[in-house]
């Protein structure tokens, strides 16, 4: 996988900008490979890479990829649920659950993750889904909280271990 279009700080070189687009069936293998990289990084507790079958099942309005020079460098997908009465979402209300977001390590810091989340939230709002949740088992939870607060997310609950 050639990823030489970025310098060490994740800045774009040669005027190239990654595009964000809806995922296609032809993207599933590359997304599965990115998911495998995510698992290999061991940046979350107990979560495994998504397989091609599960990814293919998620294709649709809530699955986007970031592509740079013909190479996928990130992805995001979610699913819309109907609330059964959550503490923060009324029963019967539809909401988007962001299931996975990943950007290749060589491309972090260039706002790709922000653009992916923006596009997914824009798509859900276009479809009348204005509420969203995200769960995470990241080992860098402080960064994750700060990242999602920029989109208006608020803390709902905390679960800790020792």
């Amino acid at each position: 996988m050639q990823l030489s279009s970025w310098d060490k700080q994740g800045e774009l070189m040669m005027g190239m900008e990654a595009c964000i687009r809806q995922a296609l069936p032809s993207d599933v293998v590359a997304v599965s490979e990115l998911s495998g990289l995510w698992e290999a990084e061991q940046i979350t507790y107990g979560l495994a890479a998504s397989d091609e079958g599960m990814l293919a099942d998620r294709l649709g309005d809530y699955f986007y990829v970031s592509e740079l020079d013909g190479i996928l460098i990130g992805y995001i997908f979610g699913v819309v649920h109907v609330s059964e009465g959550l503490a923060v979402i009324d029963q019967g209300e539809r909401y988007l659950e962001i299931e996975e977001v990943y950007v290749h390590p060589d491309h972090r810091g260039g706002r790709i993750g922000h653009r992916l989340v923006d596009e997914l939230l824009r798509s859900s709002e276009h479809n009348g889904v204005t509420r969203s949740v995200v769960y995470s088992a990241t080992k860098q939870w402080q960064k994750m909280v700060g990242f999602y607060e920029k989109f208006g997310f608020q803390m709902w609950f905390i679960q800790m271990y020792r």
Side-chain angles (χ1 to χ4, degrees), residues 1 26-35 52 55 72 75:
M1 183 181 293
S26 58
D27 296 325
V28 168
V29 171
V31 172
S32 179
E33 291 172 2
L34 286 171
S35 186
E52 291 177 25
L55 293 168
L72 295 190
Y75 67 91

Side-chain angles (χ1 to χ4, degrees), residues 19 30 35 45 54 61-62 65 70 72 106 122 136 141 144-145 150 159:
C19 76
S35 186
Y45 294 103
M54 190 281 284
D61 288 345
Y62 306 106
V65 295
L72 295 190
D106 292 348
R122 188 175 8 263
S136 180
W141 63 268
M144 189 272 311
V145 169
K150 293 174 184 171
Q159 185 171 5

Side-chain angles (χ1 to χ4, degrees), residues 126-141:
H126 176 77
N127 291 327
V129 180
T130 59
R131 304 293 304 273
S132 304
V133 298
V134 62
Y135 305 100
S136 180
T138 184
K139 294 176 182 177
Q140 298 176 352
W141 63 268

Side-chain angles (χ1 to χ4, degrees), residues 3 6 18 34 66-68 71-74 102-104 107 112:
L3 299 169
W6 290 66
L34 286 171
S66 178
E67 182 178 19
L68 180 64
I71 298 170
L72 295 190
I73 60 171
Y102 182 77
V103 176
H104 190 284
H107 300 278
I112 299 296

Side-chain angles (χ1 to χ4, degrees), residues 34-159:
L34 286 171
S35 186
L37 286 175
W38 162 72
E39 181 182 26
E41 280 190 69
Q42 298 181 11
I43 55 178
T44 59
Y45 294 103
L47 299 179
S50 296
D51 64 44
E52 291 177 25
M54 190 281 284
L55 293 168
D57 288 345
R58 292 291 192 271
L59 290 172
D61 288 345
Y62 306 106
F63 195 149
Y64 289 87
V65 295
S66 178
E67 182 178 19
L68 180 64
D69 197 25
I71 298 170
L72 295 190
I73 60 171
Y75 67 91
I76 188 170
F77 62 85
V79 64
V80 172
H81 300 286
V82 176
S83 175
E84 295 180 5
L86 302 172
V88 295
I89 300 177
D90 293 336
Q91 184 171 351
E93 188 174 358
R94 295 182 330 141
Y95 66 95
L96 172 73
E97 178 183 347
I98 299 174
E99 291 190 328
E100 283 188 31
V101 181
Y102 182 77
V103 176
H104 190 284
D106 292 348
H107 300 278
R108 293 181 189 151
R111 300 196 49 86
I112 299 296
H114 289 265
R115 292 178 57 212
L116 285 164
V117 172
D118 276 339
E119 193 61 36
L120 183 63
L121 294 176
R122 188 175 8 263
S123 177
S124 67
E125 289 170 3
H126 176 77
N127 291 327
V129 180
T130 59
R131 304 293 304 273
S132 304
V133 298
V134 62
Y135 305 100
S136 180
T138 184
K139 294 176 182 177
Q140 298 176 352
W141 63 268
Q142 296 94 335
K143 284 184 177 182
M144 189 272 311
V145 169
F147 177 82
Y148 283 102
E149 283 178 337
K150 293 174 184 171
F151 297 96
F153 284 83
Q154 299 175 38
M155 188 69 69
W156 171 12
F157 66 86
I158 298 173
Q159 185 171 5

